[in-house]
Amino acid sequence: MNYKTRAAITLLSATCTFSAQSTSFTDPIDGMFDMGEYLAENAYGFLPVPILITEPAVGLGGGFAGVFLHESEQEKEHRKKLAMESLDGGARLIPPAVTVAGGAATENGTWFAILGHRRTWNKDSIRYMGGIGYGNAFIDIYSDLGGLLPQDKPLSFESDNKGYGGIQKLQFRVGDSPLFLGVSQFWTRSEVTSSNQIINKILELTVGTETTASGLGFVAEYDTKNSFFFPTDGYSINAEYLWFRDAIGSDNDYETFALDGQAFFPLSKQWTLGFAGNYASLTTDELSLPPLARPYVKLRGIAAYRYQDNYVASVQSQLMWHLTPRWTLSGFAGSGSASKDFDGLYEDSEFAYGAGFRYLMARRYGIHMGMDFAFSEDENAFYFNVGSGF
């Protein structure tokens, strides 16, 4: 552990200790460790979330993120009252505004810093989410180098990716329904280079080493989940379509579409079955695009950007056993596929599986934290997660 890591841990501990001098970390209902009062009653209270990275694409690493919850005094008192009346009373309220700030680094030199914010207005009839980030990632890219190689025989090469950017989404509820419609913006400025001079030259001649991606589009969401942080009932469907064009500052012209879904079914008081699916596509008339532009298979246990193409899809399921109101154990499994053409999806597929646990860290907000241990044919990893893991 280097001196910067030790200093960060010391500072975080001191901050938590100072803020917690007059705050109880014991829940008055069940007597268990809980950070709900600390988050609600301290002006500078935040949930410290350790970031443990075992992502196969970048190696071992870690860092910290702070989750800040913003509520008015009236909202705090209402949530506290409901939390005292039932175990999940406060958790079912409309979530407060949330700010997340943090960063992390890994053993191969990869690092990043992020700042994100989510807020609702008018009794959750308007939702806003935005974030910015800056980072430097050293990852292996599996690419056909702009069409110079066959799609079924991509070349793997080490890459150095530097960049910064941001996203924004603004959504409006349709009447009193669970449907939200809105607009979305995506913008990044990145530089991709390789330690291999031949690869570097090919990048320069095809897509260039510096790229700006700028997209505008529409987003739709249908959400009936019973909790923002840890749902156990209901479902959600999210769809987003983005246009990337020179007229709005993009170096390449293409369109992306993403469809994500989650569903949770309470089998009994102690068991919940969850499903999640993802589909993403990219269409373009250009012969070559930056290596990281295309979507990739996103599953716990499979390295980011390992399976990447014009069309990707994944499905996964998760069985959760609520051992006690505080502790939850889970097992999960999923498969994903990437293909140049839509018809080729799942002609070849990758499988991943694993198990994990969650602890109810802040009962009045329904915030669960824990770890997942995931495995696939070629890799394995563990993840520190807030939420269900989907």
Side-chain angles (χ1 to χ4, degrees):
M1 182 183 297
N2 61 36
Y3 78 94
K4 290 183 179 179
T5 303
R6 290 196 299 270
I9 294 175
T10 301
L11 177 61
L12 180 63
S13 300
T15 302
C16 292
T17 301
F18 177 78
S19 300
Q21 288 179 352
S22 59
T23 302
S24 172
F25 284 90
T26 300
D27 188 279
I29 298 297
D30 60 10
M32 300 290 287
F33 174 79
D34 188 277
M35 295 189 68
E37 182 179 344
Y38 165 74
L39 290 173
E41 306 301 333
N42 286 277
Y44 302 102
F46 65 93
L47 181 68
V49 180
I51 300 174
L52 302 179
I53 301 174
T54 60
E55 167 60 56
V58 295
L60 297 175
F64 285 101
V67 179
F68 300 81
L69 305 179
H70 315 286
E71 291 180 299
S72 67
E73 291 302 320
Q74 182 180 3
E75 290 171 333
K76 290 179 182 178
E77 290 302 317
H78 187 207
R79 186 181 295 274
K80 181 178 180 180
K81 179 177 181 296
L82 293 178
M84 295 297 291
E85 293 174 354
S86 65
L87 288 176
D88 61 350
R92 294 181 181 273
L93 290 179
I94 297 171
V98 181
T99 298
V100 179
T106 72
E107 60 184 346
N108 78 342
T110 293
W111 65 271
F112 68 86
I114 58 170
L115 175 64
H117 184 73
R118 182 188 186 275
R119 179 175 290 274
T120 67
W121 291 276
N122 195 20
K123 297 182 179 180
D124 198 29
S125 63
I126 303 174
R127 293 180 178 181
Y128 171 81
M129 188 276 290
I132 57 175
Y134 186 89
N136 190 180
F138 295 89
I139 62 175
D140 288 342
I141 293 178
Y142 296 78
S143 172
D144 63 354
L145 295 177
L148 295 179
L149 296 175
Q151 281 277 350
D152 59 344
K153 295 181 179 180
L155 176 69
S156 170
F157 63 91
E158 294 181 353
S159 69
D160 178 359
N161 304 266
K162 300 182 180 72
Y164 56 93
I167 58 172
Q168 293 190 98
K169 295 182 182 180
L170 181 63
Q171 299 170 277
F172 301 87
R173 186 186 294 271
V174 178
D176 294 326
S177 73
L179 176 64
F180 289 82
L181 300 176
V183 293
S184 180
Q185 179 188 20
F186 177 90
W187 186 91
T188 61
R189 177 67 177 171
S190 61
E191 178 184 1
V192 181
T193 58
S194 174
S195 57
N196 186 312
Q197 295 303 312
I198 296 177
I199 298 296
N200 227 31
K201 194 64 177 178
I202 294 175
L203 288 173
E204 291 177 1
L205 295 174
T206 55
V207 298
T209 57
E210 295 186 4
T211 306
T212 297
S214 178
L216 289 174
F218 300 101
V219 59
E221 178 181 3
Y222 193 91
D223 186 5
T224 68
K225 299 193 302 294
N226 64 343
S227 171
F228 173 69
F229 290 109
F230 194 77
T232 56
D233 193 6
Y235 65 94
S236 67
I237 302 173
N238 294 269
E240 182 180 52
Y241 197 97
L242 289 174
W243 288 269
F244 293 80
R245 291 293 185 270
D246 177 70
I248 53 176
S250 184
D251 289 340
N252 302 97
D253 292 350
Y254 57 96
E255 298 89 41
T256 62
F257 175 70
L259 181 65
D260 296 276
Q262 297 181 12
F264 298 88
F265 302 94
L267 304 179
S268 68
K269 187 176 181 179
Q270 288 188 299
W271 293 91
T272 299
L273 181 62
F275 297 95
N278 165 264
Y279 167 81
S281 66
L282 182 148
T283 56
T284 183
D285 292 328
E286 299 194 8
L287 296 178
S288 59
L289 290 175
L292 300 185
R294 288 182 169 83
Y296 63 93
V297 173
K298 299 176 183 178
L299 284 174
R300 287 167 286 183
I302 294 180
Y305 295 100
R306 175 62 182 88
Y307 301 100
Q308 191 183 9
D309 221 316
N310 293 336
Y311 297 88
V312 300
S314 65
V315 292
Q316 54 183 316
S317 61
Q318 180 166 287
L319 183 62
M320 295 180 283
W321 178 25
H322 309 294
L323 188 62
T324 72
R326 287 282 174 178
W327 289 98
T328 295
L329 304 180
S330 64
F332 54 88
S335 66
S337 177
S339 174
K340 179 182 179 180
D341 303 305
F342 176 81
D343 293 339
L345 283 174
Y346 281 99
E347 287 184 358
D348 294 307
S349 59
E350 306 301 324
F351 183 73
Y353 61 94
F357 68 88
R358 297 292 186 273
Y359 179 78
L360 180 55
M361 188 65 67
R363 184 177 61 81
R364 71 171 71 179
Y365 296 99
I367 299 178
H368 291 67
M369 295 173 57
M371 298 184 69
D372 291 324
F373 303 85
F375 309 88
S376 61
E377 182 179 358
D378 300 317
E379 298 155 331
N380 58 78
F382 62 89
Y383 307 84
F384 200 102
N385 282 323
V386 176
S388 66
F390 284 156

